Amino acid sequence: MLISDKRNIHIEELKEANNIAVSDLVALTLDIVQGGASVGFMQDLSEEKAREFWNNVLAKVQQEKTVLLVAKDSSSHQIVGTVQLQIDLPQNQPHRADVAKMLVHSAFRRLGIAENLLQHLEFIAKKKRKSLLVLDTVTDSPAHALYLKRGWKVVGNIPNYALFPNGSPCSTTYFYKNLE
């Protein structure tokens, strides 16, 4: 377990599924989508679909294809943030990984949780001998600003790449970071 110094939040790697963790991840995802974030889901996201998504992620964690970090409130033990490091890539890309699904609950934003999750994820990537990380996010979003602040480099923007949960289009920016 990695301990964060940010507002009684601690970061840990979730290695196995349990009902409480899945329920927290489902609630977190619903909060994010209801807040309008473009994270791969539409407004009609149900608890059942969110649970199916997280069970699939946790299956990949068990298969060591994905690293899943969670940020927990130290007093309630509720998961209030998460990020994934996807390491199951083609054979010709053993040196890199994809960062995905950086989520922080709306009630816990602006506390440094996303930055702390990202910092821990980069540390784990280095330990796994990954020298290149890649991610995408909504252009000009708070996450976009975070990645710039943390030294990520912009590859480019793709207009109308994805949809916000309400169905309106959004531009996506691709980033990379060399860890060496």
Side-chain angles (χ1 to χ4, degrees), residues 13-180:
E13 188 174 340
L14 191 61
K15 293 192 175 198
E16 54 188 57
N18 64 61
N19 288 336
I20 294 171
V22 172
S23 293
D24 282 357
L25 290 165
V26 167
L28 172 61
T29 305
L30 292 171
D31 172 73
I32 298 297
V33 172
Q34 290 165 0
S38 177
V39 292
F41 304 106
M42 301 308 286
Q43 276 179 342
D44 63 353
L45 177 66
S46 66
E47 278 190 42
E48 179 183 323
K49 287 284 185 190
R51 185 171 302 281
E52 181 182 328
F53 170 80
W54 284 109
N55 284 330
N56 288 335
V57 169
L58 288 162
K60 291 177 186 173
V61 168
Q62 289 292 307
Q63 298 164 9
E64 298 183 358
K65 295 179 176 183
T66 297
V67 174
L68 179 62
L69 292 184
V70 295
K72 288 186 175 181
D73 181 320
S74 297
S75 57
S76 70
H77 303 288
Q78 174 189 1
I79 295 174
V80 298
T82 186
V83 67
Q84 299 172 39
L85 184 68
Q86 298 172 341
I87 55 177
D88 184 35
L89 298 178
Q91 189 176 14
N92 69 338
Q93 299 171 40
H95 61 291
R96 77 170 194 89
D98 291 344
V99 176
K101 295 289 186 274
M102 171 75 78
L103 309 175
V104 176
H105 194 282
S106 60
F108 289 83
R109 295 210 179 118
R110 312 294 300 166
L111 299 175
I113 295 170
E115 186 170 5
N116 207 305
L117 280 165
L118 190 58
Q119 181 179 0
H120 286 304
L121 197 70
E122 290 173 9
F123 175 77
I124 288 171
K126 286 179 187 178
K127 282 180 58 176
K128 291 190 171 294
R129 297 191 173 126
K130 303 300 180 184
S131 59
L132 178 67
L133 298 180
V134 177
L135 63 81
D136 68 272
T137 194
V138 174
T139 304
D140 297 328
S141 66
H144 183 274
L146 168 66
Y147 299 130
L148 289 172
K149 176 182 173 186
R150 293 278 310 150
W152 287 70
K153 305 294 182 205
V154 172
V155 176
N157 300 326
I158 304 173
N160 302 317
Y161 182 80
L163 299 176
F164 286 111
N166 67 7
S168 63
C170 61
S171 174
T172 295
T173 301
Y174 275 85
F175 287 88
Y176 74 94
K177 186 170 189 179
N178 285 310
L179 298 179
E180 296 180 324

